[in-house]
Amino acid sequence: MNPAALESIQALHRAVYVEGELFGVDRPHAVDPLQAPDGPARPNAIAVAGGAFGDEGKGRVVDELCMRSLRAGRAPLVYRWNGGANAGHTVIVNGQRVALHQLPSGALHREAVIVLGKGMVIHPGDLLAEIDRVRAVTGGPMATLIIDENAVLALDTHRALEAALRDWQTGGSGATGRGIAPAYADVVYRHPLRVRDLIAADWRDRLRRHYALYAALVKGLGRDLATVRVPSLRAESILVGPESEFIERHGPAATALDVYAQDSRPVLENVWAADGPTTPIIFEGAQAIGLDTRWGVYPDVTASDPTFDGIAHSTEGMFRSEEIAVRAGAIKATYTSSVGSRRLPTAMDEALAQRIRDDAHEYGSTTRRPRDIVYIDLPCLRFFARISGMTHLILTHLDISYPDAPIRVCTHYTDRRGHVCGYRPDQGFLSAVTPHYLDLPAWDGAALRGAQELAALPREALQYVAFLTRAIGCPPLMATTGPERTALLSWLPG
Ligand code: IMP
């Protein structure tokens, strides 16, 4: 960040908080960016990515986008472009909780088409368990599912290697234990198993060769593959087991996935171009830009491409990100949460952090581990927005604000020589900088909770949205105002 960028943030602060400028955030956008996008982008195409370090609540927003499409009489296509069973998003259907890990959020809408893209790594057993669960709670069929035949497999062998690595590195790996990094590494090492390998006639032979390789790798780390315990959706945890047991465990998936597996390109091509374009396409990302290996705080990063660029990779270059009308990054409106060993510069006063943690349920959804809560960090969020080509912001948890605690926002850092600087994706650098803050007027979040209309937002919330979104450089698209499905408001017209 250069001093001119800091001056523009200071000027923005004056414009909003002294001169009363709201930059139009008190009313819906005059032009619907989904219907009339800038440049060559396809209308009715939106991508949603995490704009910070994960757990921003994107799934809920994708669910709302699906419902909007259905209300307008058009069934959406929801395409998940990255990650695997490391994602987690809980929805309540017919009074029952259902956790989605590998299925995108459109799964619960039976009219939708959902695609697990080539950029994903898929655990077949957990996926079948998830499909069964969705069917059980919806009481019937779910969305039409397509699995790209080229998606990579992330099996119990990968989970075992990750567990062995964790022991080897004495707990240092910090992954979710779902074998994500080893599965993506298979691609780089040129020995991946893909969905099409599991539905091939000789799938047993292919799995046998894979098991032998992983047995050798795990043995090299001092473990016996068969006796490594790995997480499982159906049984919490299981032993990888000997080769024959491991292979036969995949029998049901080899049969079941055959129904869903195909080359997804013709489907996407058809929907993208041939129909008008009227079919809404929603690209759903997993994890977040701040978990990208290149842009996040290494080593707390994931192996897939969670940026909008990941869509081009996953779709074999079919859609460059700038062809997608709206590329929305979801962030928590008034704070940022983080899990793992990364130490962000904007550490929050612990009493306030605990208050937020309790009010916003900031505990890991599977581990119950308390998440770190930090102040909003503009250098970091601006970096993620710029590097990913984000066009809009989705602000979640707008109800987490207390009249007795101003909202503290970091405008810039200084280095040890006192020079103004911005974010760099490097823990050593981030540990050495000094953050500088502005305190902004808060509002009564409890009074705002559940708001569905912009008119229900207090002036302080509008000022804050105007300041934050202009400072990051992306206008707001939606905000969530509480945990209920309906607690959501939008800047989209209509
Ligand atoms: P992996 O994705 O299991 O390889 O984990 C790598 C890193 O990404 C770890 O620091 C995880 O905690 C983090 N991570 C992966 N998925 C999520 C998520 O959905 N939310 C937050 N952190 C995540």
Side-chain angles (χ1 to χ4, degrees), residues 53-55 86-87 162 174-177 180-181 287 291 300-302 339:
F53 296 98
D55 309 312
N86 50 347
E162 201 160 60
T176 59
I180 305 298
Q287 286 76 49
L291 291 173
D300 283 322
V301 291
T302 193
V339 279

Side-chain angles (χ1 to χ4, degrees), residues 353-425:
Q354 189 57 43
R355 192 174 178 188
I356 292 177
R357 202 175 281 129
D358 290 342
D359 289 350
H361 310 289
E362 291 290 0
Y363 295 88
S365 44
T366 31
T367 56
R368 309 302 307 149
R369 193 163 48 144
R371 295 183 184 136
D372 292 333
I373 307 295
V374 301
Y375 295 120
I376 286 283
D377 182 335
L378 287 179
C380 170
L381 296 175
R382 282 161 59 97
F383 180 95
F384 292 162
R386 193 186 69 82
I387 207 69
S388 68
M390 193 183 286
T391 62
H392 290 79
L393 278 164
I394 290 167
L395 305 173
T396 65
H397 298 74
L398 196 58
D399 57 318
I400 301 297
S401 170
Y402 309 100
D404 57 348
I407 299 175
R408 186 160 282 185
V409 170
C410 169
T411 51
H412 63 292
Y413 315 141
T414 46
D415 64 17
R416 61 195 166 80
R417 292 193 182 84
H419 295 151
V420 172
C421 57
Y423 172 89
R424 275 181 51 204

Side-chain angles (χ1 to χ4, degrees), residues 141-193:
M142 55 171 223
T144 302
L145 172 62
I146 294 173
I147 305 174
D148 196 285
E149 63 188 11
N150 269 324
V152 172
L153 298 179
L155 305 177
D156 294 336
T157 39
H158 298 101
R159 295 179 176 186
L161 179 64
E162 201 160 60
L165 275 170
R166 195 174 47 235
D167 292 350
W168 182 262
Q169 297 170 343
T170 55
S173 131
T176 59
R178 299 309 189 274
I180 305 298
Y184 282 108
D186 275 358
V187 178
V188 186
Y189 280 127
R190 297 178 292 271
H191 54 227
L193 279 177

Side-chain angles (χ1 to χ4, degrees), residues 100-130:
L100 298 178
H101 300 286
Q102 301 186 79
L103 294 171
S105 302
L108 299 160
H109 303 284
R110 63 186 61 171
E111 304 88 342
V113 175
I114 55 174
V115 182
L116 308 193
K118 177 182 174 182
M120 286 186 67
V121 290
I122 291 174
H123 187 285
D126 276 6
L127 179 60
L128 290 188
E130 199 174 318

